[in-house]
Amino acid sequence: MRSMEFSGRTVDEAIFHGLNEMGVTIDQVDIITVQSESKGIFGFGARNAIVRLVERETPVVPDFSAINEERREQREERRERRDRKDDRREGRGKRSDRRREQPREEKEAAAPVEELPYSKELAEQLDSARFLQELLGKMGVNGTVSAFENEEGIKLKIDSDTDGLLIGRRGETLDALQYIVSLYENKDRKENGYRRISIDTEGYRARREDTLKRLARRNALKVAKSGRSFAMEPMNPYERRVIHSALQSFRGVTTHSEGEEPNRRVIITPED
């Protein structure tokens, strides 16, 4: 397992040097900031940033959890289709009654996701979008960045033909890109406040969010029925927020997070 230190005028520049020198992509290393950059006073005392890149070990046993989850969802969808057919035949049978009694949040969650008006022209005006475009070039990715901006922050979308390369396992590569661009966007914003950056490609964020919401509701129903708590798999902060939000008004359960990063997870518990 390789571990090397690199320097640059900024943390981002040091990371770029390290990735190029080690011949790896950002999802293949852990990044440790040894020293942040400093401009000094009147040019005196200035110092470069230093980062340590630690190459991640390749897992010996493949992780089939994502595949298994997709298969479970497919089985659940087939079961739901069969139930709907049965309900149509039985009219106001037991299954219809049970579905009417389900929490209102489940019905509302099926609403389609609104497509944001991303703009390439706006991306050409935003520093964060131009930086992401430059970053893609350094990664050897042929892609185009478009942007959407509102009071919640800046949303960037990458259109490319990489077939999932920019997403990575469970979105790890996309999350890493988002982290670096967020650092760049907020490096000089101490007085203006933090600006949230979101990066998406191939509609991954919407698909993942929909999967998480359905998974959360399915597990919440189990908890409400059994009266036993359920611990979900470890997730990043964004995905945990999706779970908490999806179950915020779900009757019969409450949620909280436990553990330390990167193994922090959402716990669904019966409501007292």
Side-chain angles (χ1 to χ4, degrees), residues 86-101:
D86 292 340
D87 290 338
R88 284 195 293 269
R89 288 194 297 266
E90 296 177 8
R92 299 175 62 85
K94 294 182 179 180
R95 289 188 179 87
S96 296
D97 293 337
R98 186 162 57 248
R99 188 158 49 249
R100 284 197 298 271
E101 294 171 359

Side-chain angles (χ1 to χ4, degrees), residues 25 27 132-133 135-145 157-169 173-174 177 199-204 207:
T25 58
D27 61 311
L132 176 58
Q133 189 72 63
L135 182 58
L136 294 177
K138 292 180 179 293
M139 295 172 63
V141 173
N142 182 20
T144 303
V145 177
K157 183 179 70 171
I158 304 171
D159 293 313
S160 69
D161 54 358
T162 55
D163 295 329
L165 174 65
L166 289 174
I167 297 175
R169 178 180 174 272
T173 304
L174 200 60
L177 285 172
I199 300 179
D200 194 12
T201 185
E202 302 178 31
Y204 170 78
R207 294 199 310 272

Side-chain angles (χ1 to χ4, degrees), residues 28 48 84 89 95 130 136 149 157 199 237 265 270:
Q28 295 175 319
N48 285 345
R84 285 194 293 269
R89 288 194 297 266
R95 289 188 179 87
R130 292 197 298 267
L136 294 177
E149 184 176 17
K157 183 179 70 171
I199 300 179
R265 63 183 70 209

Side-chain angles (χ1 to χ4, degrees), residues 14 16 21 25 52 67 103 112 117 120 129 133 165 175 191 209 216 235 244 254 272:
F16 294 151
E21 180 70 23
T25 58
R52 180 181 300 114
I67 298 175
K120 294 181 181 178
Q133 189 72 63
L165 174 65
D175 289 341
E191 297 180 358
E209 186 170 321
M235 297 178 185
H244 289 307
T254 60
D272 296 335

Side-chain angles (χ1 to χ4, degrees), residues 71-83:
R71 290 175 177 172
R72 284 195 295 271
E73 291 176 2
Q74 291 173 348
R75 289 196 297 270
E76 184 69 20
E77 290 174 0
R78 289 195 295 269
R79 188 179 301 112
E80 290 176 357
R81 286 196 294 269
R82 289 196 300 268
D83 289 346

Side-chain angles (χ1 to χ4, degrees), residues 145-161:
V145 177
S146 55
F148 171 77
E149 184 176 17
N150 59 12
E151 64 279 0
E152 296 180 358
I154 298 173
K155 298 181 183 294
L156 304 176
K157 183 179 70 171
I158 304 171
D159 293 313
S160 69
D161 54 358

